Amino acid sequence: MNWHPHFFWRETRAGAYQLALFAICVFLASLALSVVSGWRHSVDNAMAEETKKGAGGDVVAFSTEPFSEDLVKAAEQFEHIRTTEMFTVALAPKNDRTLFSKLKAVEVGYPYFGEVPLRSGRDLHQALKDGLVVEERVLERLEMEVGEQLKIGNHVFTISDVALSEPDRPLGMWGVSPRIFTSFEGLDATGLLRPDSYLERRIHIRLQDSSKASEVAEQLRQVGVPDQERIETWERPPVNMERYVENFFTFLDMMAVLAVALGGLGMRSTLSAWLRSRTQTVAITRTLGADQKFVLFHYSGIVLATALLGFLLGLGAAGYTLIASGEYLSQMLPVQVTPRLSVGASFESAFLCLAVSLAFASWPLYQAGQIRPAAVLRQVETRASRGTQFVFGSLLVVSLFALLYFMVADLGKAFWITLSLSVVALISAALSYLVVKHLKRRKPRSLVLRTALGSWRAPEARTELVVFILSMCLAVLYTAVICEQALRQSWIDAMPPESPNLILLDIQPHQMAAFRDDVEYELEMYENMRVRVLEINGQPLDRSGKREYWQRDGRGKMDALPTLEIPVNDELLEGDTLYGEVEEAVSVRKDIAERLGVAVGDRLTLGLQGVPLEATVTSIRRSSRKGFKPRFELLFPPQLVEGAPRTVFATARIPEGDIGALQTRLAKLYPGVVSMDLSLTIKLIAERLVQMVGLVSYFLWSGIAAGILILVSATWSARQRRSRESAYYKVMGADVAFLNRVIWTENLVLGFLTSGVGLSLALLSSAILCRWQLDVPFPQMGEQLLWMFVLPGFGVALLGWAVSRKVVRARPAPYLREG
Amino acid sequence: MAPILEAKQVHKTYTREDAPDVLALRGVDLVVQRGEFVAVTGPSGCGKSTLLTVLSGLDLPTSGQVSIAGREVTNSSEQELAELRNKEIGFVFQSFHLVASMTALENVAFPAELAGQSDAEERARRLLDQVGLSDRMDSFPHQLSGGEKQRVALCRALVNRASLIFADEPTGNLDTANGEQVLDLLISLQKDEGASLVLVSHSPDVVARADRVVMMRDGVVVE
């Protein structure tokens, strides 16, 4: 095969505009893929590096109860240290300010991996001999300095130093409560240690040979209490962190693949337009003796070269995005990340991007190869058989599925995501096609409107495709926005006035009456028990499989409330009353009942902190998340669980200005009680919601850009036709004003059609999500919805007019000359 | 009665980059009376199509004056020219130049609708019926033969009762039989409507049907 550089170059120049649009579509796909790939590689590396530090040892044992003797004995065979963490309220005597914080007691030797650098440069344990070591935020919030006094529990400490960082506590969303370090002696002195206190206890083990970690962990699991003591190794990050990161990237992968798919449609459309414009050239070349291979070789070469250019530009932009996104990513993820575009990530995205580009380019190239010499003389249809069209269509779906599978590395997930995206795409395509077809058939009375809609009948108009892509992007984007609004209105903005804004934890049962009097505000107090389901109808629950999924499957510990009244946020779904006439009764929340597969009448065997209990399921409830009210998986009649261990927590609605003073007073009267101001949590949730929508928008704007490119490409490729039509209209007496009205009308109809279809799809999908997934009411969004409809409508109209306006001004004569 | 068309010392020069200017028309004078059929003929490249384009206002002369129905075309605004084309002038082209996305009926009715005529569709139907296309009204141009397309173009040119029709090689892309049929129709409709016809052709058979023949060579009228 001879390569003809002149032909290659001239054909590239002749199609420069359309090829530039194609390159931009590749750029968008490359940007999406490279950013996600770069983020993932960076996070994987960071987690691998941080895991050992994050774990705090080669093997770490966790428990919220005191460790069993057997486990302690087993751990003592190895080099080990202990740490214990708990939430507490610190009080500054100098100004009576309080701070909800996390206290951590550490033994000498901590940390095994990484370090805790102090402001003074001293060693941590040296400083702990003199008092507490605190995080900078403690000093800022309490307006204190090193050397001043801080009261925790019953003891007043001196702040001896400031910790600059902590190796096993990532920043970002996990760092809500500031850190205070103490020794175990200091912890004892606080007087906060009680049998029922909620403590996070750890034993950190350091091995001579880290590779033996799994072996040692298994030994410890054999002797530990299965449901109570969890053993992890440095080889895996903490389960919750791993799951969160996994879900985060699954979501991102989905967004990236959507952006790539939409960009791919842009690629296909722009290439089709370009190759159609080369029909005469190809036909002439064929009449001169070039064969199909010649045509495919040269045009594929042009496509590859352009795709490579687009990819490299995308890679560059991704590199910049990654560097700029470090802080953002660290806020979204529980690990400190410095995102960079690694060589591995670059090659990965190069492979994916070019593979996808070729998949989308295959159909236009195939069609170019089918152009026959007779096309020189007349328009010859190169319509492929249905079978061929099906094959190429399937190639696209398979390519996207393969891309998704490569990224999420889970066949099931890849299948379901592909299916979901395909369903959304099909609905959007069907709606777009039907509406456009209906409009094309209409013969409105208005000449301007009729002329405008008439131009959609031209085959190269691509109206259905433009409407489909833009409306699908708008649908996904608007769904995210509407759901964010729903969550915000439900959880944050529209919280009823009586919703609690203060939570008080670790109240002792015997303190309840006095506590209520001392608070002087109305309290809702809840006695909370931690319960686990052991058997259902005599059959033990299967506790095989990953422990981290126990909570998800209903096999983990649950919160239970002894009460005779149905909680305010609950409604009965089955059973006329909570317990009926049954004494040994339990009411189960609907999601737990579904996960465990239990129904009314089933007999449960429960473990209540080691105390067995039998009860019959007498009702099933639904529990709403409104207003930050506590939700309990199980409810018992109080007499059934009398004497069983429990903790008490309370919620209250306090005037904003009184919260601080109340917290101070309680810290003095009840040093063991932890008080949490919910406004910070609410602020954090709101921030995360906005960030998630921002993330969705980032990728979807790529798709919207692709849709706009298709619009521009279709309008550009039709300019000859449009100019000719304008000339004919002028010949028949139409003036410039008429032609402008036609163009504006056509593009306004297109714009509002797109935003209408997109918004309709978004309303439908967000209504489904709000009802079935998020369990929140559909938000009030009257004015916003109007803007969501109007703005894209005008945007598309303006763009369409901008690309077409020169056509209106062209003189008719050049288009009417013969020959 | 005043002539329908007057052209005085019309020059048209095409300027090209890196090539000498092309003097397409060099001082053409022409008068066409109302109801007259004038044929413009000459060898290829003599400027006859350019003359048609300039006379009809589709292009502007480099110098000289053109008046149609008493109105000076050369100094008219786009708006005025548009009105003139809609109400006074009809065009028939060699390559038909029908709007591809409109049916035959829509193509014919369009100028009348532009003029605001309430009976535009009815008039279009009558004209199409007259030329034997009553069963092709809802067809698109790509569904019509060459002869059928040219008949649609004829109807379109006459739907607003134009007083002046410009035809540029109207039979050029048609076979002999169709060409004769189209020419017969054109002349017949022209006579019926009382319109003037300026027709450009290099075919002696076509030219022979005219009331008067204008011969051009190298941008000037020679007889």
Side-chain angles (χ1 to χ4, degrees):
Chain A
M1 171 63 55
N2 288 328
W3 182 51
H4 289 256
H6 274 156
F7 182 82
F8 183 95
W9 174 240
R10 295 232 182 276
E11 284 303 288
T12 306
R13 269 192 69 178
Y17 189 84
Q18 293 286 7
L19 286 171
L21 296 178
F22 168 69
I24 295 174
C25 291
V26 176
F27 164 83
L28 293 171
S30 164
L31 180 63
L33 286 172
S34 304
V35 164
V36 172
S37 189
W39 275 352
R40 194 187 303 105
H41 278 244
S42 303
V43 169
D44 285 349
N45 288 340
M47 283 178 69
E49 281 168 26
E50 293 286 329
T51 297
K52 221 177 199 181
K53 284 195 234 165
D58 290 309
V59 179
V60 183
F62 302 84
S63 178
T64 54
E65 311 292 337
F67 284 110
S68 60
E69 277 184 32
D70 290 339
L71 183 65
V72 170
K73 229 187 257 177
E76 280 171 353
Q77 296 170 53
F78 308 98
E79 187 188 345
H80 71 283
I81 50 171
R82 291 175 307 148
T83 63
T84 296
E85 290 184 53
M86 63 184 298
F87 287 106
T88 189
V89 174
L91 168 71
K94 90 166 191 185
N95 54 21
D96 265 357
R97 285 188 141 179
T98 58
L99 179 69
F100 176 71
S101 51
K102 200 121 191 247
L103 182 67
K104 184 169 186 172
V106 298
E107 282 189 330
V108 173
Y110 172 87
Y112 276 150
F113 303 106
E115 53 178 8
V116 181
L118 305 188
R119 194 198 278 171
S120 67
R122 287 193 290 171
D123 173 67
L124 173 67
H125 301 286
Q126 203 62 40
L128 285 176
K129 283 182 187 166
D130 299 333
L132 300 174
V133 173
V134 304
E135 189 189 317
E136 188 73 56
R137 281 189 292 169
V138 173
L139 300 183
E140 280 166 13
R141 300 244 190 111
L142 296 176
E143 290 180 0
M144 296 183 72
E145 294 185 12
V146 171
E148 291 181 325
Q149 296 195 313
L150 190 65
K151 187 179 179 195
I152 296 179
N154 297 322
H155 193 75
V156 177
F157 297 86
T158 303
I159 298 175
S160 69
D161 216 315
V162 175
L164 301 176
S165 71
E166 185 180 345
D168 53 352
R169 193 182 193 225
L171 300 176
M173 69 183 289
W174 308 108
V176 173
S177 39
R179 170 67 84 212
I180 299 176
F181 286 100
T182 185
S183 60
F184 270 86
E185 292 75 24
L187 182 62
D188 286 336
T190 62
L192 295 174
L193 294 180
R194 293 185 301 270
D196 54 351
S197 297
Y198 184 79
L199 301 172
E200 293 166 22
R201 298 173 171 89
R202 289 185 179 83
I203 301 176
H204 306 256
I205 292 173
R206 182 160 61 181
L207 302 173
Q208 303 272 0
D209 180 2
S210 290
S211 65
K212 299 261 191 276
S214 297
E215 209 179 289
V216 170
E218 199 43 48
Q219 276 177 38
L220 296 177
R221 283 188 197 112
Q222 296 299 321
V223 300
V225 177
D227 296 339
Q228 203 170 282
E229 292 165 341
R230 195 174 88 236
I231 315 294
E232 299 286 349
T233 69
W234 70 272
E235 285 148 349
R236 281 191 67 186
V239 158
N240 286 345
M241 189 195 290
E242 192 181 44
R243 192 160 64 229
Y244 178 82
V245 170
E246 190 187 308
N247 288 338
F248 181 77
F249 275 104
T250 300
F251 176 72
L252 279 191
D253 289 337
M254 198 166 78
M255 290 294 109
V257 167
L258 184 60
V260 166
L262 296 171
L265 287 172
M267 291 179 214
R268 185 165 153 159
S269 177
T270 51
L271 280 182
S272 289
W274 169 56
L275 288 168
R276 258 200 314 277
S277 74
R278 310 320 301 150
T279 303
Q280 276 292 305
T281 305
V282 171
I284 291 166
T285 315
R286 295 293 304 270
T287 59
L288 296 173
D291 59 8
Q292 204 179 41
K293 272 192 220 151
F294 176 94
V295 171
L296 287 173
F297 179 74
H298 285 81
Y299 285 104
S300 300
I302 294 172
V303 167
L304 257 176
T306 315
L308 193 60
L309 175 67
F311 164 73
L312 289 172
L313 289 171
L315 197 67
Y320 173 77
T321 305
L322 283 164
I323 293 170
S325 66
E327 195 182 315
Y328 171 83
L329 203 61
S330 293
Q331 284 179 1
M332 295 298 293
L333 293 173
V335 65
Q336 200 68 15
V337 186
T338 309
R340 289 288 181 267
L341 196 57
S342 63
V343 171
S346 303
F347 273 108
E348 182 183 294
S349 54
F351 166 69
L352 294 173
C353 185
L354 292 173
V356 165
S357 302
L358 275 176
F360 280 97
S362 59
W363 174 247
L365 284 170
Y366 168 80
Q367 288 194 300
Q370 297 300 302
I371 294 172
R372 299 195 293 272
V376 166
L377 302 169
R378 64 184 183 281
Q379 196 156 347
V380 178
E381 284 288 327
T382 51
R383 197 181 292 275
S385 67
R386 282 203 186 275
T388 311
Q389 288 185 52
F390 179 77
V391 165
F392 279 95
S394 305
L395 177 66
L396 288 183
V397 175
V398 167
S399 307
L400 288 173
F401 172 75
L403 173 69
L404 203 47
Y405 176 56
F406 185 90
M407 290 168 85
V408 303
D410 183 312
L411 198 62
K413 260 189 206 167
F415 173 75
W416 284 112
I417 294 173
T418 306
L419 187 64
S420 310
L421 289 177
S422 301
V423 166
V424 172
L426 272 170
I427 295 173
S428 178
L431 205 52
S432 305
Y433 173 76
L434 286 170
V435 174
V436 171
K437 187 175 174 184
H438 172 73
L439 282 175
K440 276 189 199 176
R441 284 187 176 161
R442 301 283 300 161
K443 292 202 176 164
R445 282 176 161 265
S446 156
L447 179 62
V448 169
L449 185 57
R450 199 167 354 115
T451 311
L453 295 181
S455 69
W456 286 4
R457 294 184 205 155
E460 65 267 29
R462 291 283 186 268
T463 314
E464 292 93 334
L465 186 63
V466 170
V467 173
F468 159 58
I469 291 183
L470 285 178
S471 64
M472 196 161 123
C473 291
L474 285 176
V476 178
L477 181 64
Y478 284 166
T479 301
V481 167
I482 294 171
C483 288
E484 188 263 342
Q485 276 297 307
L487 290 171
R488 180 188 291 277
Q489 286 183 15
S490 251
W491 289 3
I492 298 161
D493 294 345
M495 280 176 66
E498 65 273 15
S499 295
N501 59 0
L502 186 69
I503 292 183
L504 303 154
L505 304 168
D506 273 350
I507 304 165
Q508 296 303 302
H510 68 270
Q511 293 174 320
M512 283 171 70
F515 192 84
R516 205 186 279 279
D517 291 338
D518 286 328
V519 165
E520 293 173 4
Y521 292 96
E522 199 165 311
L523 287 178
E524 282 180 29
M525 300 188 97
Y526 302 90
E527 295 178 52
N528 184 40
M529 299 178 295
R530 298 286 287 164
V531 177
R532 199 191 297 275
V533 174
L534 301 174
E535 293 179 5
I536 302 172
N537 294 326
Q539 295 297 318
L541 283 193
D542 175 15
R543 292 200 193 278
S544 61
K546 288 185 183 180
R547 192 197 172 96
E548 53 268 25
Y549 293 135
W550 289 3
Q551 206 60 42
R552 189 183 71 182
D553 297 344
R555 291 180 285 168
K557 278 191 182 170
M558 296 183 237
D559 291 310
L561 173 72
T563 182
L564 286 174
E565 289 170 10
I566 184 164
V568 156
N569 267 24
D570 289 10
E571 62 170 310
L572 282 179
L573 296 176
E574 290 177 43
D576 296 326
T577 58
L578 273 180
Y579 311 122
E581 302 297 321
V582 179
E583 283 188 6
E584 293 180 343
V586 61
S587 175
V588 181
R589 205 171 70 194
K590 179 180 171 238
D591 55 317
I592 299 297
E594 281 168 1
R595 283 176 212 166
L596 291 173
V598 300
V600 169
D602 284 340
R603 189 83 177 155
L604 303 183
T605 306
L606 306 137
L608 213 156
Q609 281 174 246
V611 177
L613 178 71
E614 295 244 338
T616 303
V617 178
T618 49
S619 61
I620 293 178
R621 309 161 277 124
R622 176 165 46 219
S623 212
S624 155
R625 287 194 175 93
K626 266 194 213 170
F628 276 100
K629 294 271 187 188
R631 298 167 75 231
F632 295 91
E633 283 96 339
L634 306 172
L635 303 179
F636 293 107
Q639 63 273 18
L640 181 65
V641 292
E642 205 172 329
R646 66 198 65 191
T647 57
V648 179
F649 72 92
T651 62
R653 179 81 195 174
I654 312 283
E656 288 267 341
D658 294 350
I659 292 179
L662 176 63
Q663 283 181 305
T664 305
R665 191 153 55 82
L666 289 177
K668 289 176 182 170
L669 291 172
Y670 301 94
V673 171
V674 176
S675 61
M676 268 174 65
D677 182 350
L678 283 178
S679 60
L680 182 65
T681 311
I682 291 164
K683 186 173 161 241
L684 206 62
I685 292 172
E687 273 172 26
R688 294 296 164 253
L689 284 176
V690 167
Q691 281 172 340
M692 286 312 287
V693 171
L695 203 57
V696 168
S697 305
Y698 175 80
F699 288 101
L700 285 176
W701 277 112
S702 293
I704 288 173
I708 288 170
L709 286 171
I710 292 176
L711 174 64
V712 169
S713 162
T715 311
W716 179 261
S717 70
R719 76 193 183 292
Q720 280 289 335
R721 174 180 61 82
R722 285 173 180 270
S723 299
R724 193 172 303 113
E725 273 182 11
S726 287
Y728 299 165
Y729 294 141
K730 282 183 176 175
V731 161
M732 290 189 275
D735 56 13
V736 167
F738 174 82
L739 293 174
N740 269 324
R741 283 200 300 277
V742 169
I743 288 179
W744 267 107
T745 303
E746 182 191 341
N747 286 295
L748 275 170
V749 172
L750 183 69
F752 285 114
L753 183 61
T754 304
S755 60
V757 170
L759 188 57
S760 304
L761 282 173
L763 289 172
L764 176 65
S765 56
S766 49
I768 291 171
L769 283 170
C770 285
R771 173 72 179 89
W772 298 108
Q773 200 71 26
L774 302 173
D775 194 24
V776 292
F778 195 81
Q780 308 275 349
M781 285 180 78
E783 201 182 295
Q784 261 174 304
L785 288 177
L786 187 63
W787 282 115
M788 283 155 84
F789 175 67
V790 162
L791 276 177
F794 277 116
V796 168
L798 194 61
L799 182 71
W801 173 80
V803 179
S804 309
R805 63 193 168 88
K806 277 194 180 167
V807 148
V808 166
R809 299 250 165 231
R811 295 205 76 85
Y815 299 98
L816 301 169
R817 276 196 203 109
E818 309 303 339
Chain B
M1 205 183 271
I4 187 65
L5 171 70
E6 273 188 273
K8 287 180 190 165
Q9 284 299 296
V10 170
H11 291 257
K12 180 67 183 177
T13 305
Y14 290 107
T15 315
R16 298 178 301 174
E17 244 181 71
D18 303 327
D21 292 350
V22 174
L23 306 170
L25 297 174
R26 297 189 288 160
V28 170
D29 293 310
L30 183 67
V31 173
V32 177
Q33 302 298 335
R34 289 182 187 270
E36 194 181 10
F37 173 8
V38 175
V40 179
T41 191
S44 280
C46 69
K48 45 187 195 297
S49 290
T50 306
L51 177 66
L52 205 77
T53 314
V54 167
L55 289 179
S56 63
L58 290 176
D59 204 354
L60 290 173
T62 312
S63 65
Q65 268 183 344
V66 177
S67 302
I68 295 177
R71 275 192 273 185
E72 209 189 301
V73 164
T74 34
N75 284 337
S76 294
S77 66
E78 264 307 315
Q79 182 69 29
E80 285 164 343
L81 282 175
E83 201 186 327
L84 199 66
R85 284 196 289 267
N86 183 237
K87 297 209 166 110
E88 298 289 348
I89 302 173
F91 292 90
V92 181
F93 298 100
Q94 181 177 357
S95 295
F96 326 120
H97 289 317
L98 300 176
V99 179
S101 54
M102 288 184 179
T103 62
L105 181 64
E106 287 165 354
N107 264 285
V108 174
F110 188 82
E113 284 175 315
L114 262 181
Q117 289 187 28
S118 54
D119 63 341
E121 190 173 311
E122 199 187 306
R123 181 157 168 75
R125 282 184 190 281
R126 238 183 295 130
L127 279 166
L128 284 168
D129 192 45
Q130 232 174 313
V131 300
L133 288 177
S134 49
D135 58 340
R136 306 291 274 153
M137 289 190 197
D138 294 327
S139 300
F140 288 93
H142 70 271
Q143 294 169 315
L144 301 171
S145 69
E148 287 170 341
K149 279 191 263 201
Q150 199 60 297
R151 279 183 274 167
V152 173
L154 284 186
C155 296
R156 185 180 67 179
L158 289 161
V159 72
N160 275 346
R161 297 183 178 87
S163 46
L164 179 58
I165 301 168
F166 289 101
D168 189 359
E169 303 274 11
T171 58
N173 280 355
L174 302 175
D175 57 77
T176 314
N178 266 314
E180 276 178 17
Q181 194 181 35
V182 162
L183 189 61
D184 287 342
L185 272 170
L186 177 57
I187 294 171
S188 153
L189 286 168
Q190 175 242 333
K191 293 284 184 238
D192 287 347
E193 300 286 333
S196 306
L197 173 61
V198 178
L199 185 146
V200 164
S201 182
H202 62 270
S203 162
D205 292 336
V206 170
V207 164
R209 310 260 316 252
D211 297 333
R212 178 161 61 100
V213 178
V214 171
M215 175 72 83
M216 285 190 69
R217 187 171 288 129
D218 296 329
V220 294
V221 171
V222 293
E223 33 169 294

